[in-house]
C-alpha cells in the first residue's frame, strides 16, 4: 500500500522512545483536534506498525512499532531536509467518511493494511521502511526524520535509536490485573522466574 503524503504541518517537537515491549514509539507535537484515525500496517514478512493521524488536518502524530519488522542492511538515504520543523500530512480520504449537508465525520476510524515493511539500524540510527523507493527529501521535527519519495509517498521514519527504558509505574499499580493469578505462558509463577 502506497502511503501518499499531501503536505506537512508545523511541529514543535518530536520524541522517540523504546521499552522492553514496544521497540519504537514516535510522538509528534502538533495541533490536533479530532480523535485519531488509525492505520495499522502488517508487514508482508512480519512486523506491525500503527499510525495515528488527525482527521481534520491529516497530520501524523504517532507511530508505534509493536512488532519489529525484519532487518535489512539498507543504508539511510542521503537527501536534503526541508527547512523548518514538520510532520507529514496524509490523505484522510483513505478512511471512509459520512457526509451530510451539515457536517462530515469519519465513518471508519481504523484501516488495516498489508505492505512491505522492514527496518535497518546503521550506527546509532533506527529506520522503519515502508517503501523501496529512494528518499528524495526529509521532513524533520527534532531528531525525527520522515523520508518522502519523489512521488510524495512515505518511505521511512528515521530516529536516533532510543535507549530501552522500563516504564515507571504509579504507586500501587501492578503489571498484573487485580485478582488474577500472575502466571506466565509456561504455567510457572512469575515470582518463581
Amino acid at each position: 500500500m502506497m502511503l501518499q503524503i499531501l503536505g506537512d504541518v508545523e511541529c514543535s517537537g518530536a520524541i522517540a522512545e523504546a521499552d522492553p515491549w514496544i521497540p519504537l514509539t514516535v510522538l509528534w507535537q502538533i495541533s490536533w483536534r479530532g480523535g485519531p484515525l488509525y492505520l495499522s500496517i502488517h508487514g508482508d514478512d512480519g512486523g506491525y506498525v500503527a499510525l495515528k493521524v488527525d482527521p481534520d488536518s491529516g497530520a501524523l502524530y504517532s507511530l508505534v512499532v509493536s512488532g519489529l519488522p525484519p532487518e535489512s542492511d539498507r543504508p539511510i538515504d542521503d537527501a536534503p531536509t526541508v527547512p523548518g520543523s514538520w510532520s507529514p500530512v496524509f490523505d484522510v480520504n483513505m478512511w471512509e467518511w459520512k457526509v451530510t449537508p451539515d457536517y462530515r465525520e469519519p465513518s471508519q476510524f481504523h484501516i488495516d493494511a498489508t505492505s512491505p515493511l522492514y527496518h535497518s539500524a546503521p550506527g546509532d540510527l533506527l529506520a522503519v521502511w515502508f517503501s523501496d523507493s529512494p528518499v528524495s527529501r526529509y521532513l524533520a521535527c527534532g531528531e525525527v526524520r520522515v523520508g518522502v519519495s519523489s512521488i510524495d509517498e512515505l518511505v521511512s521514519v528515521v530516529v536516533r535509536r532510543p535507549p530501552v527504558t522500563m516504564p515507571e509505574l504509579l504507586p500501587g499499580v501492578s503489571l498484573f490485573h487485580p485478582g488474577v493469578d500472575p502466571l506466565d505462558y509456561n504455567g510457572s509463577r512469575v515470582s518463581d522466574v
Side-chain angles (χ1 to χ4, degrees), residues 2-71:
M2 181 175 139
L3 298 175
Q4 188 75 39
I5 294 184
L6 299 181
D8 47 58
V9 296
E10 223 174 310
C11 174
S12 61
I15 59 169
E17 301 173 332
D19 67 41
W21 303 279
I22 305 293
L24 180 64
T25 298
V26 179
L27 302 171
W28 286 264
Q29 296 169 348
I30 62 163
S31 294
W32 54 277
R33 292 179 290 203
L37 297 174
Y38 296 93
L39 175 59
S40 300
I41 303 170
H42 303 267
D44 291 333
D45 297 321
Y48 178 78
V49 176
L51 305 176
K52 289 183 185 178
V53 174
D54 175 48
D56 288 336
S57 67
L60 175 65
Y61 65 88
S62 172
L63 173 143
V64 177
V65 178
S66 57
L68 199 60
E71 188 166 6

Side-chain angles (χ1 to χ4, degrees), residues 70-92:
E71 188 166 6
S72 165
D73 60 357
R74 181 174 176 172
I76 306 302
D77 295 340
D78 188 25
T81 298
V82 175
S85 186
W86 309 106
S87 175
V89 169
F90 290 101
D91 183 0
V92 295

Side-chain angles (χ1 to χ4, degrees), residues 99-186:
V99 180
T100 72
D102 298 326
Y103 65 93
R104 178 178 188 245
E105 69 181 9
S107 62
Q108 175 190 19
F109 288 88
H110 190 264
I111 296 175
D112 278 310
T114 301
S115 179
L117 199 58
Y118 54 98
H119 82 280
S120 62
D124 66 343
L125 299 176
L126 175 62
V128 178
W129 299 95
F130 299 88
S131 168
D132 290 327
S133 298
V135 173
S136 69
R137 69 186 183 284
Y138 287 103
L139 301 174
C141 184
E143 294 200 18
V144 177
R145 293 185 293 161
V146 175
V148 181
S149 76
S150 61
I151 59 169
D152 295 327
E153 82 177 301
L154 173 66
V155 176
S156 62
V157 174
V158 181
V159 301
R160 292 218 178 279
R161 193 171 325 148
V164 175
T165 57
M166 286 297 292
E168 291 185 34
L169 297 178
L170 298 172
V173 174
S174 170
L175 291 175
F176 305 105
H177 295 286
V180 174
D181 193 14
L183 295 178
D184 70 9
Y185 290 104
N186 297 324

